[in-house]
Amino acid sequence: MSVSVIGAGAFGTALAISLAGRGPVCLWARSKDHAKAMQAARENISRLPGHALPETLSVTADMGVATENHTLLLAVPMQNLRDLLIEHAGALAGKTLVACCKGIELSTGLGPVEVIRQTRPDARPALLTGPSFAHDIAAGLPTALTLACADADLGKALQQSLNTANLRLYRSTDTTGAELGGALKNVIAIACGAVIGAGLGESARAALMTRGYAEMQRMALALGARAETLAGLSGFGDLALTCTSEGSRNYRLGLSLGRGGGFDPDVTVEGAATARAVATKARQMQLDMPITACVVALLDGKLTLDAAMTALLTRPLKEE
Ligand SMILES: NC(=O)C1=CN([C@@H]2O[C@H](COP(=O)(O)OP(=O)(O)OC[C@H]3O[C@@H](n4cnc5c(N)ncnc54)[C@H](O)[C@@H]3O)[C@@H](O)[C@H]2O)C=CC1
Ligand SMILES: O=C(CO)COP(=O)(O)O
């Protein structure tokens, strides 16, 4: 199965580097200049500096060339996925589309697999998600991810074809659970960064991770996800990584909120839009998601961190 990676950001480049260890891989960039720069330097200097592109990795800005392969990994931010699917509708028709993004679409409340299903009903959708930093994958460090696909046979085939020397893939048919785990953990990571940034301590972070996980489960189970999916790599695993490492952009945004500093608006932080999408969805579903609500209020400048902590700590006492 030949593979192309659509989207030459940090994650798409890292996946392409790892997959290139197995054979030819094509990496598509939307900008011709970016593709040319990567071809010349044999490195993605703007998005993933310090990692050479293997010889088996070709770079193109031509979607026709990229879609000569049948399996396409879509590695663009969640809020840009629909635009990509619509802009290249013809070239993507009938392909196997593996979403690699983590988030909930702000305008619809849908996750990546659902957005693919809605915009490209002729495609075969799947999701690759779980705890992994692009720099770790590109450096060849060991990682384990979830490959979720509702079609069990296609999932097995993708697990075989996308597993690499340093990407160990576990299979699931629960796309709802996998996409919600990857999306919701980013919101909790922002909250964890904020408490650490404000100097509130690691005990507070552990409490937020645990109660945040309870929130993740509340929404995911109400939407039909399986509890074991949330307990796996795409949920608990990614929550553990993202809430504890400055390698995470979501966590770093939280740190800067806690410290009262600024943050580069051009950095991809999926949790910010997702927090808003999730808060809206929670209201519609009448679900109690207080940490998510506080993250939205913090991002909107409607609550200080002190006020947010007071609001969380003075909620009615209840059973765990
Ligand atoms: N960076 C990481 O360590 C990891 C990232 N991810 C996920 O991967 C997704 C992408 O993140 P990164 O690659 O890190 O972001 P990035 O900011 O490094 O790159 C995003 C890329 O998407 C491209 N893009 C944006 N809109 C586009 C459109 N409409 N059409 C075509 N290309 C478009 C941009 O040109 C850019 O190359 C996110 O959902 C993120 O959560 C998942 C695991 C690890
Ligand atoms: O999803 C990730 C790790 O699994 C990457 O996290 P950030 O998007 O917060 O950098």
Side-chain angles (χ1 to χ4, degrees):
M1 210 188 271
S2 305
V3 177
S4 292
V5 179
I6 306 299
F11 196 45
T13 306
L15 290 172
I17 289 173
S18 183
L19 286 161
R22 291 181 55 131
V25 174
C26 178
L27 176 62
W28 175 86
R30 71 170 156 176
S31 143
K32 280 186 189 155
D33 288 345
H34 188 204
K36 271 191 201 150
M38 283 191 281
Q39 273 155 356
R42 297 305 297 165
E43 188 181 335
N44 187 347
I45 293 168
S46 58
R47 295 283 176 175
L48 193 69
H51 300 281
L53 305 184
E55 276 179 22
T56 44
L57 194 168
S58 59
V59 182
T60 185
D62 183 338
M63 189 56 96
V65 170
T67 52
E68 281 168 13
N69 290 329
H70 200 73
T71 300
L72 309 175
L73 271 55
L74 308 181
V76 299
M78 181 64 218
Q79 307 306 324
N80 304 112
L81 180 63
R82 185 179 293 269
D83 286 350
L84 174 84
L85 291 164
I86 290 172
E87 189 178 345
H88 300 285
L92 300 178
K95 301 286 182 186
T96 296
L97 302 179
V98 184
C100 302
C101 40
K102 296 176 181 173
I104 302 292
E105 193 178 47
L106 194 46
S107 55
T108 62
L110 298 177
V113 174
E114 285 308 314
V115 170
I116 294 174
R117 284 203 183 108
Q118 201 180 67
T119 52
R120 290 260 46 88
D122 46 47
R124 304 195 303 164
L127 179 74
L128 184 61
T129 185
S132 56
F133 288 134
H135 278 285
D136 290 345
I137 294 176
L141 299 176
T143 52
L145 302 183
T146 301
L147 186 284
C149 184
D151 175 338
D153 290 335
L154 177 61
K156 279 183 193 164
L158 287 169
Q159 181 184 30
Q160 292 295 333
S161 60
L162 301 177
N163 196 75
T164 73
N166 71 319
L167 273 183
R168 178 172 168 77
L169 301 190
Y170 288 80
R171 201 172 64 236
S172 170
T173 53
D174 181 10
T175 54
T176 303
E179 66 181 9
L180 283 167
L184 298 174
K185 62 87 189 176
N186 280 333
V187 179
I188 308 304
I190 295 175
C192 287
V195 300
I196 295 295
L200 297 179
E202 296 189 355
S203 302
R205 172 177 39 200
L208 271 181
M209 285 175 69
T210 314
R211 296 311 305 163
Y213 184 66
E215 272 189 35
M216 290 167 63
Q217 272 192 319
R218 206 168 295 146
M219 175 164 275
L221 298 189
L223 288 168
R226 294 202 289 263
E228 58 267 33
T229 310
L230 269 288
L233 292 163
S234 52
F236 174 77
D238 216 352
L239 182 75
L241 178 68
T242 319
C243 293
T244 59
S245 170
E246 291 195 28
S248 159
R249 297 162 294 190
N250 286 281
Y251 181 76
R252 288 203 302 272
L253 169 63
L255 280 178
S256 72
L257 285 171
R259 289 171 183 153
F263 199 79
D264 180 351
D266 292 333
V267 172
T268 299
V269 181
E270 293 282 30
T274 292
R276 295 182 172 100
V278 171
T280 303
K281 215 173 163 75
R283 269 195 304 279
Q284 289 162 352
M285 295 171 69
Q286 297 188 319
L287 292 176
D288 189 25
M289 298 188 70
I291 300 173
T292 303
C294 282
V295 169
V296 173
L298 266 181
L299 289 167
D300 290 346
K302 291 191 175 149
L303 210 58
T304 62
L305 190 71
D306 281 350
M309 287 313 289
T310 305
L312 289 176
L313 290 170
T314 55
R315 282 164 47 78
L317 297 174
K318 55 183 206 166
E319 278 192 347
E320 189 172 17

